[in-house]
């Protein structure tokens, strides 16, 4: 009985450590960590292309919202609200895709800190980002700032659409 219990405890310990072992094996050797890593060049042209598509979706969402406001038919209103929600979801997915490497991404190929702010772990502070930004050229810094400024505006428009959608969903048709 003791041997079975010991085997179960040992198996549990091995299984608990097993997912960590490959991660430890994949870590860079100390010499590679000290070598300066060159940040990935931002792709402003691709960013602008995706931003234009997002802007088009924003116009589409605003048109959908105008139709929702004008409709008197409750069934038509529900259909339009569903179409608006679908457009919002696809637009949010496009915006999320913009944060990858080569666009606005950073931090070793993970999008803006690997999503730490969305519950994936501790938030990234300047301590973790300092090394990344200190390696950017002035031109790369300008490109990152341009993309961030554009992205923040898109986020604000998306929040406005979400608020309008919520308000329209709560109001009965006129």
């Amino acid at each position: 009985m003791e041997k079975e219990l010991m085997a179960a405890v040992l198996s549990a310990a091995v299984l608990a450590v097993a997912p960590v072992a490959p991660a430890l094996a994949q870590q860079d050797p100390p010499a590679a960590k000290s070598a300066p890593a060159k940040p990935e060049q931002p792709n402003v042209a691709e960013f602008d292309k995706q931003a234009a598509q997002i802007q088009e979706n924003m116009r589409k969402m605003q048109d959908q919202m105008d139709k929702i406001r004008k409709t008197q038919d409750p069934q038509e209103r529900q259909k339009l609200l569903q179409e608006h929600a679908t457009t919002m979801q696809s637009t949010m997915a496009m915006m999320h895709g913009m944060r990858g490497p080569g666009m606005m991404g950073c931090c070793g190929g993970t999008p803006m800190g690997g999503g730490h702010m969305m519950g994936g772990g501790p938030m990234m502070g300047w301590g973790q980002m300092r090394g990344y930004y200190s390696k950017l050229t002035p031109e790369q810094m300008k490109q990152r700032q341009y993309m961030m400024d554009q992205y923040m505006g898109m986020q604000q428009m998306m929040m406005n659409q979400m608020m309008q959608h919520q308000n329209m969903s709560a109001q009965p048709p006129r």
Side-chain angles (χ1 to χ4, degrees):
M1 174 83 161
E2 250 181 69
K3 288 183 181 180
E4 291 172 10
L5 182 60
M6 185 62 120
V9 170
L10 184 59
S11 296
V14 168
L15 290 175
V17 175
V20 177
L24 292 174
Q26 291 175 355
Q27 286 184 349
D28 296 333
K33 283 186 180 180
S34 63
K38 187 171 183 174
E40 193 165 333
Q41 182 70 25
N43 188 340
V44 177
E46 184 63 28
F47 176 89
D48 285 341
K49 180 180 168 187
Q50 287 188 6
Q53 180 61 49
I54 290 169
Q55 293 294 336
E56 181 60 35
N57 278 16
M58 293 287 183
R59 282 188 284 278
K60 179 179 177 182
M61 284 188 286
Q62 195 56 52
D63 290 345
Q64 290 169 330
M65 195 52 63
D66 291 342
K67 288 179 185 176
I68 292 167
R69 282 188 192 93
K70 292 176 184 174
T71 189
Q72 300 293 321
D73 181 11
Q75 291 168 335
E76 179 68 15
R77 179 186 178 91
Q78 284 304 313
K79 178 183 166 226
L80 291 169
L81 280 166
Q82 183 56 48
E83 288 174 8
H84 184 263
T86 301
T87 307
M88 274 197 310
Q89 288 173 344
S90 70
T91 306
M92 284 189 268
M94 280 191 275
M95 289 175 68
H96 183 72
M98 294 177 90
R99 295 177 19 197
M103 297 292 268
M104 292 174 33
C106 67
C107 317
T110 61
M112 295 302 283
H116 290 294
M117 296 178 105
M118 299 302 289
M123 288 190 345
M124 294 200 62
W126 181 244
Q128 290 88 3
M129 298 299 292
R130 182 179 314 130
Y132 172 79
Y133 282 105
S134 66
K135 294 178 181 98
L136 293 176
T137 67
E139 181 61 27
Q140 288 172 321
M141 288 289 279
K142 287 178 189 175
Q143 291 170 337
R144 296 264 179 218
Q145 186 63 49
Y146 164 77
M147 291 189 292
M148 187 58 72
D149 289 347
Q150 298 298 309
Y151 190 78
M152 294 300 285
M154 288 183 273
Q155 282 185 319
Q156 182 62 50
M157 285 188 275
M158 181 57 73
M159 289 300 295
N160 290 340
Q161 287 295 319
M162 293 169 84
M163 295 301 294
Q164 288 178 36
H165 185 93
Q166 184 177 6
N167 288 337
M168 285 293 145
S169 296
Q171 292 178 3
R174 296 177 213 172

